[in-house]
Amino acid sequence: MSENVVQLRKSTDETPAQTPTTPALTVVPDSRPVPLWVRSGRAVRKAVTDERTRTAGRLAARHSMYVVGGTRIMTRRAWDGRTGARYERLLRAAEAAGNYEVAAEWEERLQRFRDLRHRRRMDLLEAPVDAAKGAAAGTGLGIGGLLVLGIALAVATKDVSDVITPLMAVVDLIQLLITIVQVVWGPLITIGPFLALLGLWEVGRRAQAAPYWALPDNARNGEGEPITPSIVVKALRDLGVPALRNSIKEMGDAGASMLGPIRIAGCGVEVDVTLPSGVSTIEVQQRRRKLAENLTRHEHEVFITIPTAARTVRLWVADSGALDEPIGPSPLVTDESMTADYTKGKAPWGQDLRGDAAMLSLYQRMVLVTGLSNQGKTAALRSLALWASLDRRVEFRIADLKGAGDWAMFEGLATVLIQGPTDEQVIEATEMVEDLVDEMNRRIEIRRTQPGAVFDPLIGIVDEAQVAFMCPAKDEAKRPYGGSKATSRYFMAVRKVHNQGRVVDVLLWEGTQDPTDQNLPKLVREGAHTRASLALGTESQARMALSDKAVDGGAAPHLLRQGLDKGTLVVASDGIDIPKGQTSITVRTHFIGDEEAVAITDRAKAMRDGVTTLHVIERGEERDPLADIATVLGDAPRLRTQDVLKRLAALNEDAYGEWSFIDLKRVLDGTGAEPRKSDGRMVVRRDRLVSALAKRDDEGSASSL
């Protein structure tokens, strides 16, 4: 029969009138007992797999291995102390690293150690004879001295028996010492091994000399594990670089000679690693995530930079979770008496990873801040402007092409404040930057006639500048406001400020997001002296934002965590202190909220006599410069540029009275009618100008269809 016997049973409760039903199936359990060996096996399996049993097993294995590991460590220490093994390991490590000068130094130290050891051994051969002679001499002198002391004592007491009293006192002392040793020796022999085992256990426990599976949970998960030389070497060994792994294995000190001193640096530690021959620094940089995981850290908690020394990488490893903690408030908020000095001062922007204050000089520097949306770009740019506003000499002209009110507190402080994302605001922002160009040219003319003339700083700020570069609007002359061609008004105005504005303290700061070649042209981003980037999506964007040199040197804004590393910037600038050999620095910026920003701007306004803020760029009568130039040329086949400027001023003094050759060239650039030399003078040709007008009209007709 099977374990479960199936029986067919008919219901006996049916009445004759009822319809017969199908016989029911009933399962009857087997009543035979389970064999003893089966029950024992189940009990053993349950006991073995029980968590308490496993915990007890790990505990026993861990503490046993602590003793074994401690014994191994102490044995190696004793061997190193008695032999030249340590010197030989370091010698082989230096040779494997290709550092032959250090290898020669260790070889010299090894030879000195061997010479001293030989002298000690030769001294030991003569030690018994010297010891016997010394003992005999000491004993004779000792007994003689005691007898002399006894004689003196006997003379003093007039008792002959006192002659041997000092000698007997020494004998009694020796007997007492023997008694003490006899009493202590037995317990010492019994307890001594246990004390030795306890010492070995403590050494093994401190070194965690047990299998990984037997370690406590907090040691196995690695949270908060301190960075030690052995951990760094092991992380490098397991990085997946065959040449590095093989070199570490060949080193006598297991790779310890590669490491410089581990220094505390802010909320983490810093260590320089000299790579062995055949291993490139780029191979380590490309494995940042794996290195971080080997160090029991997250990727954003490990930074790899390239110092000045050859074949060296500098690792900065944060304390676990430290970068998720906020930094303190800005000094602009906590110190209400703070003022600024645009020329000699530095803006308190935040803290670097070492916990030191990150101070940025703004003197004659164009600024570009970029990053993904909602990462703190406006707050970072605004904090610089808030500091600069505390210098009463600084004038601001601001275009906020987001229009969300982030710059509203500069009302009554900035002479121009444009807010909004539409094409109309882009046009006004473009004209604002062109006014910066005009002011720059005016100052340059003054500087020519008055060398050494000093000007108050004029800072133009365009936030969300990508809106201006992507604007499709065109002016009456069919010149686009956006784009990156030579006819683009915004692009050309920015380029002119970048080229010459610095020397007369006319500066332009831009904030833009998600950089591409279209919304942040190459010539514009390379014109900024201070380039800073928040979190980005790709390495190619990081190169656009900071330059190839900075990224090749370790800058990695594309590895910042979007949403979690808000306000963290990677900065490439000569205006901030960057460790020697590095091309960039990571800064955690102070966040200044709207209420704090209003309080700071109120202090800045109190330092000034009163500023009227324009919200729309004032424009004169709308004119067509290209058509006016054709008008003043008349029927002349060509006309000198100076004569063209005079006739334009006579045609309309308000529009063209302050025009220079630069303005004339700006209008004609890209039309085909640019000024050219004829008989050594710059002239404008009528036929080319007529062709440019006809071409523009044809393009306008085609675009209207």
Side-chain angles (χ1 to χ4, degrees), residues 303-492:
F303 289 82
I304 306 172
T305 54
I306 309 298
T308 53
R311 287 192 294 110
T312 302
V313 293
R314 178 167 293 160
L315 306 181
W316 185 86
V317 185
D319 297 336
S320 185
L323 293 184
D324 296 327
E325 299 293 330
I327 64 173
S330 170
L332 294 174
V333 176
T334 58
D335 185 2
E336 296 184 358
S337 63
M338 175 176 282
T339 58
D341 184 348
Y342 160 79
T343 306
K344 298 180 180 179
K346 290 187 176 183
W349 212 3
Q351 294 180 359
D352 62 17
L353 296 178
R354 296 166 181 80
D356 300 328
M359 311 290 288
L360 178 68
S361 172
L362 305 177
Y363 178 63
Q364 293 187 346
R365 287 180 175 87
M366 312 290 174
V367 177
L368 172 65
V369 179
T370 186
L372 297 177
S373 177
N374 195 31
Q375 297 302 302
K377 174 183 75 283
T378 298
L381 190 61
R382 189 177 68 180
S383 66
L384 297 178
L386 289 171
W387 178 81
S389 70
L390 297 177
D391 185 338
R392 65 187 309 273
R393 299 172 299 169
V394 178
E395 177 188 349
F396 292 99
R397 300 182 187 180
I398 301 173
D400 176 13
L401 299 183
K402 180 164 57 177
D406 293 331
W407 297 86
M409 66 287 300
F410 280 82
E411 175 76 28
L413 184 60
T415 54
V416 176
L417 180 58
I418 301 166
Q419 300 181 87
T422 66
D423 289 351
E424 181 64 24
Q425 277 82 42
V426 171
I427 293 172
E428 292 174 355
T430 301
E431 293 176 348
M432 180 193 80
V433 178
E434 289 176 342
D435 286 347
L436 292 178
V437 176
D438 293 339
E439 175 63 17
M440 176 189 72
N441 291 333
R442 186 187 70 82
R443 293 184 178 190
I444 291 175
E445 290 296 331
I446 294 175
R447 182 70 64 82
R448 287 177 181 173
T449 57
Q450 302 176 25
V454 178
F455 306 98
D456 288 341
L458 172 58
I459 299 177
I461 300 175
V462 180
D463 196 9
E464 305 295 342
Q466 77 279 356
V467 177
F469 285 112
M470 301 302 291
C471 179
K474 295 183 179 181
D475 62 10
E476 294 78 6
K478 305 304 178 183
R479 296 184 62 200
Y481 287 94
S484 57
K485 296 182 179 179
T487 56
S488 168
R489 290 182 59 178
Y490 180 79
F491 171 74
M492 292 304 297

Side-chain angles (χ1 to χ4, degrees), residues 620-623 625 628 648-649 651-659:
E621 178 185 356
E622 294 291 342
R623 303 193 64 86
D628 286 346
L648 285 173
L651 178 65
N652 191 305
E653 178 67 24
D654 293 336
Y656 304 115
E658 296 184 358
W659 265 37

